[in-house]
Amino acid sequence: ADEEEKLDGLCTIPVKILVDDEEPFTQKLWEKLLRERVKRASDILEQHCRARLEVVAVDRWDSDDDVLEFPKMLAEFEREAPVGNAALAIGFSSQRRIIQPRTHLGGTFALLRQHMLIREWSRTMNEAERLEVLLHELGHYLGATHSPEANSAMRPILNDGKATLKSFRLGYDPVNTLIMCLVAEEIRDRNVRQLHQLTPRARRQLSAIYREIAKITPDEPATMKIMHWLEQGAPP
């Protein structure tokens, strides 16, 4: 199967999906919903960068009710949720209390970081917008950075109503699609799972693209961080 995927230009990313102890639904319901969402995200990823998500495990973790800042919630998730046989653990948190200058809908700490956290609970978001948040964070996982293009899933501010429009097509902008294709190629050809495993050739290509992005959006700190990691080494 792996050889067939390589011939087709596909790479498979094994994924573990988790909910926290605040999840209000039974496992039968939440697992069905999240598997379907991951499948829809996988279909869109495959169209853009030939990457496919495969759910290989589901689980729960106990989130700390006293942790109210999103970066600390993400750090806690990394500590409490082992990846196991997966390459990526995606946590869907239903914690309602959070203190932030602006609302974080999701996050991951770095390119190819093995944990991603999504805020599942919201009064205002529908399923199409939740899917777009998942696509946004999957984009970051594959190296995408924030885009000034208004119709890209990588625009900085989501939950703006666009994903609910019938005329709106969920997807990525061309520059981020190129980045994601390069990273997906590394996963497919070399089974890369972490940032430090990227080949020197991939690092050079990605660095060149990020340098061009930095010229257009010089106030985007995530781009500068990725450039630093590629040139100086992966984050701890």
Side-chain angles (χ1 to χ4, degrees):
D2 290 344
E3 291 302 319
E4 289 179 5
E5 284 191 349
K6 287 185 178 182
L7 290 173
D8 291 338
L10 281 171
C11 79
T12 295
I13 302 171
V15 169
K16 181 178 183 179
I17 55 177
L18 304 96
V19 298
D20 64 5
D21 53 323
E22 301 296 324
E23 170 58 51
F25 297 116
T26 64
Q27 179 165 344
K28 182 179 179 180
L29 290 175
W30 66 253
E31 184 176 340
K32 181 176 184 293
L33 175 68
L34 295 179
R35 280 183 178 273
E36 289 175 350
R37 190 184 304 165
V38 170
K39 176 61 169 62
R40 288 195 294 272
S42 178
D43 290 343
I44 294 171
L45 279 182
E46 188 172 334
Q47 293 170 11
H48 282 79
C49 63
R50 307 296 286 161
R52 176 187 295 162
L53 306 177
E54 179 186 3
V55 177
V56 296
V58 296
D59 204 352
R60 287 178 177 266
W61 88 98
D62 291 332
S63 56
D64 188 342
D65 294 347
D66 293 328
V67 177
L68 304 180
E69 298 175 6
F70 187 85
K72 292 182 179 179
M73 292 171 66
L74 176 53
E76 181 207 13
F77 175 60
E78 285 196 335
R79 293 192 303 270
E80 299 293 329
V83 175
N85 294 328
L88 173 64
I90 306 176
F92 296 88
S93 174
S94 294
Q95 284 282 4
R96 298 195 179 197
R97 296 192 304 158
I98 185 169
I99 299 173
Q100 290 295 133
R102 67 181 183 86
T103 301
H104 282 258
L105 301 176
T108 183
F109 281 132
L111 160 63
L112 291 178
R113 189 79 167 213
Q114 293 182 300
H115 287 79
M116 174 189 304
L117 185 62
I118 307 290
R119 288 195 67 217
E120 185 66 5
W121 181 84
S122 171
R123 289 191 180 93
T124 61
M125 295 181 69
N126 61 22
E127 184 57 27
E129 291 178 306
R130 295 177 196 275
L131 172 59
E132 189 172 40
V133 171
L134 177 57
L135 286 169
H136 182 97
E137 299 308 331
L138 288 167
H140 283 315
Y141 172 76
L142 291 171
T145 188
H146 288 157
S147 171
E149 295 202 19
N151 292 328
S152 173
M154 298 312 300
R155 63 190 186 279
I157 306 297
L158 301 182
N159 193 22
D160 54 6
K162 287 185 176 181
T164 65
L165 302 174
K166 291 183 178 180
S167 59
F168 188 76
R169 178 177 176 270
L170 288 172
Y172 301 94
D173 57 280
V175 174
N176 277 317
T177 296
L178 174 59
I179 291 171
M180 294 161 64
C181 284
L182 289 171
V183 175
E185 181 180 329
E186 290 281 288
I187 296 171
R188 182 195 67 212
D189 293 346
R190 299 169 183 85
N191 197 30
V192 167
R193 287 200 172 188
Q194 297 184 42
L195 177 54
H196 70 269
Q197 297 173 330
L198 291 172
T199 60
R201 174 177 173 271
R203 287 171 178 269
R204 289 193 299 271
Q205 290 175 323
L206 290 169
S207 292
I209 297 171
Y210 290 128
R211 281 195 292 272
E212 293 303 313
I213 293 174
K215 294 177 183 177
I216 301 170
T217 55
D219 57 344
E220 177 54 57
T223 303
M224 305 307 295
K225 283 183 180 179
I226 297 175
M227 288 173 58
H228 175 76
W229 292 334
L230 289 170
E231 294 169 3
Q232 304 297 326

